[in-house]
Amino acid sequence: MRHLLSEHARSTAALAGRFAREFGAEDLGFALGLFHDAGKACDPWQRGLLRAEQRGGPVGIPHKELGANLLRRVAGSAAMAIQGHHGGLTELADLQCLIAADAARGNDEVESFLGLLSEAEKILAGGPGSLLPDGWKQGKTVAEMGVRLAFSSLVDADHLDTAAHAQGLAAPQVRDDENIGALRDRFEAARQERLTARTGSPVDSIRERVYRRAVEGAGEAPGVFRMPAPTGVGKTWASAGFALEHAARYGKRRVIVAVPFITVTEQNAAEYRSMLGADAVLEHHSAVRPPESGAGERAMRGAAENWDSPFVVTTTVQLFDSLFARKPSRMRKLHRLANAVVVLDEVQALPLRVLTPILDALRTLSEYFGTTVLLASATQPSFPEFDVWRGLRVRDVVDEPRALFRAMRRVRYEWWLDPKPTLAEVGDRAASHEQVLVVVNTTADARSIFQQWAGSAATGIFHLSTRMTPAHRRAVLREVRERLTGGRQIRLVSTQLVEAGVDLDCPVVLRAFAPAEALQQAAGRANREGRLGKDGLVVIFDAEDMSSPAGYKIGSQVTAEIFGPHGDVEVRPDDIDALDRYYRTVYLRSNAEYGTRAAEIQRNRKRLDFQSVAEGPPLPAGASQGRDSTLAFRMLDDDTVPVAVTDHGGPTPAADLVAGLRAEPEAAGPVLRQLQPYLVALPKRLLHDPAIGALCKPVFGDLYEWTGPYDEHYGIDTTSASEQEVW
């Protein structure tokens, strides 16, 4: 069934305008939608379409350039959105090059388009830059962010309208704006119900005070807020309470919660779903990248998430890699950040090497696009020290944090540093406790301790790492919690994924030496409910044979200088003033603010060179062709690929999902959501190992099926490769 160009253009325009209204650019969004396919109105393109219908294949005639060039005078750099609405944003110079090409082509195409959509002439009659909001002229990175959100509005509207036509629907399927006030009330009612049903805890009164203060603080005007609250104080509820109250008061469209680890995404999303309703909460952490071209790429256009939900739970990797991307499938959702409340949980985990562009983007979203930002962490970084945050008003939603941290001290620290133990000695000491958690720095160390315990025929032993599927990890955490509550034996070894917000309450925690924020986060799993008074035990060990990621080097060195026993004085990792000194020192030594990568990203953002931001600048002349990816924005330097586990002691639900995806790639959207519980992210470099690569069977885009063994305790085993990273 054919889709009339005039109908598609008008429908896309209306929808893109609706999306862009949230950041004060409705007229711009409407114009981008109306003009985005202008080149399809000309006779050569229409004849090419008829040939393609008969013979198959692409039309083969460019259609994006005309609309981009027509709008360039009134839309300025935002016309790049039209030029890139299929292949992605490139650089401003590509838009500027269109003039000569258009002049050579003549006016026939223009007349064809204006004859089809007469309302376009009124748009073109505006003055130079008349479609751009005034705020975009306040700074180059403001304009850059505006182009990103306008591009997102256009590609989402384009995909929605195209999908609706393909499905025979009368109009695109867009969710009605949710009544956030009703969601807020539902959340509070569910919270009260849980408080009534649960067994009391010595720290419940403190949690209630923090929650009430957060809700009160939500009444302050939109902007940037911090929640400096110790571990175990109920930040999951308090941050959601703040976000929903603030959104209801100030007409924000949605709440977006981003956390550093998938484990926390799963836990928090489950909690929020149970309180707000499954239909209100979208959990999004799948990062399957589409094919670059062909039917698979076209299928993935519709599969890409657009965050059309009032409450989104995602990862910081998904959020910021998308924010600084350039491809439609990654950026389709970005317009949802405007006029939203964004909660960044465990914000201390943001990578230093790209911190400057992240902070600049957050400030820009807050000041010009209606986004309220809440930074939640027990180890609040000293972000206001960065130049990009100079003069920014950052408000705390916690009263007297120093007193709060003292009141929440539930553990004592023991420093096992000199002489250094071995990992085997650490494992033996842990095994002497009935209930204990050991947190190490790498999957290799976690597996080593687990295998030591298993070799001694110990019972009640468990392992956690991201080499296990989310479904597997959830099952382990469920059994661990049941054993802890029932007073049964439990010995759990995990990588750091267990630290950031995972709800565990162990009497004893052993933590491998690491940067200070990791030590304090580990301590938050000890005596979490305060039932042991202040007698939870946290043992910090520096084993002689343990491994540590390269990214820990500076943080660990500064931690050793500031924290721990120094003569007769012990400086604890939960000392707020010491943490501030720690962060300032780490920023200085790592050149976090003005490092080469951060500076290059900021330079390219100001030049509106989106391709260099996302993929790195071109390599120097004379070098091999390509781009310098070491200067690109990326949250993780070690690229990962999603691997579906289809057999875990028998076929998992992923087996049928993967088979269905291979048979019908056009159904990728719902399938990818259902696959999330069975995906493991493997470092891409591991696939170059022949032994591992042979076990990864391509499925779709960069999605693979794992055909090798899956261990019932620690998941995918890649011990044939070097694993010196946190996983």
Side-chain angles (χ1 to χ4, degrees), residues 69 96-105:
N69 204 19
Q96 296 167 337
C97 288
L98 291 179
I99 297 176
D102 232 44
R105 194 161 45 222

Side-chain angles (χ1 to χ4, degrees), residues 235-255:
K235 287 192 296 296
T236 299
W237 281 3
S239 58
F242 169 92
L244 289 166
E245 177 67 22
H246 188 82
R249 287 199 186 198
Y250 292 98
K252 305 300 181 186
R253 294 299 184 200
R254 62 189 37 79
V255 173

Side-chain angles (χ1 to χ4, degrees), residues 186-206:
R186 191 185 308 167
F187 180 83
E188 177 59 22
R191 192 183 77 91
Q192 290 296 335
E193 183 178 341
R194 280 161 172 71
L195 289 175
T196 301
R198 65 178 284 171
T199 303
S201 164
V203 298
D204 278 352
S205 60
I206 298 176

Side-chain angles (χ1 to χ4, degrees), residues 401-421:
R402 287 175 178 79
L404 177 61
F405 271 76
R406 287 194 297 270
M408 284 293 290
R409 284 183 173 175
R410 296 148 294 168
V411 303
R412 55 187 173 85
Y413 287 89
E414 179 182 324
W415 304 84
W416 194 6
L417 310 176
D418 187 18
K420 293 184 176 184

